[in-house]
Amino acid sequence: MVLTLLLAAGGFGAGAFGALLGLGGGVLVVPLLALGFGLPFREAVAISLLAVVATSSASAAVYLRRGLANLRLGLVLESATVIGAILGGLVAFALDERLLAGFFAVMLVYVAISMARRRDVRPTAGAAGAEPPPAADEGGAPSLIDPATEDASVGPPPQTSRSLRDSLAGPDYSVHRLPLGLALSGGAGIVSALLGVGGGIVKVPTMHLAMGLPLRASTATSNLTMGITASASAILYVMRDSVDPTVAAPVLVGTFLGATLTARFSSRVPVAVLRWIFVIVLLYVALQMVLRAVTPMVGT
Amino acid sequence: MSRTVESVARALRVGAWAAFACLLAGTLAMLVAGIEPDIGLGAPTSAVDPAASLLGLAPAVLTWAGIAVTVVMPVAAVVVAGVSYRRDDDRRAAASAALVIALMASALVVAGAIR
């Protein structure tokens, strides 16, 4: 019974964390199950994928109703992500994983610095949890940032426009650099397939830094789309009997509760806090990737 | 909130709670039946009392049902979005949803072929 409760508690933490940051919680579930409970790595990954789906579904329902998650944009970006995931799966065996991990670590540090150097702006009038478009960087802004989002006048798109980009705009923000966003979302799929990390670690910075979405909208939309990506992989694991229901059930019960509760209260978390937690997580994952790059592979 | 977003949110909410109910019932049935999570620590799974043995099948059925609903939910949400967009004659958005479904099916086929 104690073991069941511990698994549920771990799932609760992962669900809360994933729903808050748009990361799905896989960053927590895999080490928790593999290192904390001694579960085989493959089984830990399988249950982690299920937890990502659970987090996504439980929190996305809330975020959609609040107008935070952008369904249209999510579907468009998800197309690129799935294509990237297929490509990643095809080339996975032809590339040196350690080289990729090193490259990914450098990219994560770069993105973490970009996010940390953002200037936080007080929300203007709008829906609960609304946040103005990202403001200008202070000093040496990375080139990923769309100059258009530095203009405080960015607002709803003109109603007469019928371009794809305009049709993807949110209630109080525009979508910029759609081609770049699609390319980076494809990259998120590749990275996800090659390195076994959640696409959210790439998607949230892509939407926030490159496409100009507010951070809350980015995490909410990432939550929505991650479940779609993870479900395809999860189905494969379930079909291959890699999921132990006695372990998965308590973890998922905790995940559902954590994600649902966090989604309801996430708008009370200040954006600055959200940003710094995300930066810390990016640096933590970057460290993991560096270790993966420099540590000789044993038994893999 | 548009009708499509409302439909998708409702589908996800109903699915999430259905999955949660199955998984919670399965977990409770596991506890009643004396089944511990199998994490390779030699946890006893056979020491069950008669009352619990009557529930012997329930934990597996319930937990697998919950897992199945969990996995299918995002796909169902995309299908709901596609149908709703199509009903509203929003062809571009409907095509996006259809593309995602087609690509996911392709990914499963490719992955199955590779393995």
Side-chain angles (χ1 to χ4, degrees):
Chain A
M1 180 164 180
V2 173
L3 197 56
T4 303
L5 293 177
L6 283 174
L7 287 169
F12 184 91
F17 183 83
L20 185 66
L21 298 179
L23 298 178
V27 175
L28 285 182
V29 174
V30 174
L32 174 79
L33 295 178
L35 302 178
F37 290 94
L39 212 65
F41 188 75
R42 183 180 295 275
E43 200 171 308
V45 169
I47 294 174
S48 168
L49 285 168
L50 289 171
V52 170
V53 177
T55 301
S56 167
S57 300
S59 58
V62 178
Y63 290 142
L64 279 169
R65 291 180 67 85
R66 291 188 175 176
L68 287 173
N70 189 327
L71 180 61
R72 284 172 186 270
L73 178 63
L75 288 173
V76 170
L77 295 183
E78 189 57 23
S79 311
T81 304
V82 177
I83 291 172
I86 295 173
L87 292 176
L90 290 174
V91 301
F93 300 103
L95 298 173
D96 186 340
E97 184 189 329
R98 286 185 293 175
L99 183 68
L100 284 166
F103 174 76
F104 189 57
V106 171
M107 188 192 75
L108 287 177
V109 170
Y110 172 77
V111 172
I113 292 171
S114 301
M115 293 195 80
R117 295 175 78 171
R118 284 276 172 145
R119 185 181 64 194
D120 293 313
V121 180
R122 291 282 175 195
T124 54
E131 174 197 357
D137 258 18
E138 289 179 328
S143 60
L144 257 182
I145 296 168
D146 182 358
T149 65
E150 299 182 14
D151 180 359
S153 67
V154 169
Q159 296 299 313
T160 53
S161 174
R162 290 182 179 276
S163 76
L164 174 62
R165 199 190 73 171
D166 287 343
S167 74
L168 302 177
D172 54 3
Y173 58 86
S174 299
V175 171
H176 303 280
R177 292 183 168 184
L178 182 58
L180 177 62
L182 284 168
L184 292 174
S185 294
I190 293 174
V191 164
S192 180
L194 288 177
L195 301 177
V197 298
I201 206 82
V202 177
K203 279 185 178 177
V204 173
T206 293
M207 285 186 269
H208 182 53
L209 296 178
M211 303 183 73
L213 268 70
L215 186 55
R216 285 195 202 284
S218 302
T219 56
T221 306
S222 171
N223 259 314
L224 173 69
T225 59
M226 251 183 340
I228 302 169
T229 311
S231 67
S233 303
I235 288 171
L236 287 174
Y237 277 97
V238 170
M239 288 168 64
R240 289 173 59 84
D241 292 332
S242 295
V243 175
D244 183 342
T246 63
V247 180
V251 171
L252 294 178
V253 165
T255 305
F256 271 118
L257 283 177
T260 303
L261 290 176
T262 304
R264 291 185 190 284
F265 297 109
S266 66
S267 60
R268 297 182 187 176
V269 179
V271 172
V273 174
L274 199 62
R275 184 186 309 283
W276 281 105
I277 294 175
F278 201 94
V279 167
I280 291 168
V281 173
L282 284 171
L283 292 175
Y284 168 76
V285 178
L287 178 64
Q288 295 292 317
M289 288 297 147
V290 169
L291 292 175
R292 201 162 168 172
V294 300
T295 305
M297 282 185 255
V298 180
T300 55
Chain B
M1 183 165 50
S2 76
R3 192 167 63 172
T4 300
V5 170
E6 173 77 48
S7 302
V8 173
R10 191 185 307 121
L12 286 172
R13 192 173 66 250
V14 169
W17 282 110
F20 175 72
C22 289
L23 290 163
L24 181 62
T27 302
L28 292 176
M30 272 172 51
L31 291 174
V32 171
I35 299 172
E36 284 285 318
D38 180 13
I39 56 171
L41 298 178
T45 57
S46 58
V48 293
D49 60 35
S53 66
L54 291 174
L55 297 168
L57 187 61
V61 171
L62 289 168
T63 51
W64 276 118
I67 290 169
V69 175
T70 301
V71 166
V72 168
M73 254 190 301
V75 184
V78 178
V79 171
V80 167
V83 169
S84 184
Y85 279 131
R86 184 73 187 87
R87 196 173 50 205
D88 293 343
D89 206 25
D90 188 341
R91 294 181 184 177
R92 191 151 50 189
S96 295
L99 181 61
V100 170
I101 293 292
L103 287 170
M104 285 182 72
S106 305
L108 290 175
V109 170
V110 169
I114 288 175
R115 294 178 183 184

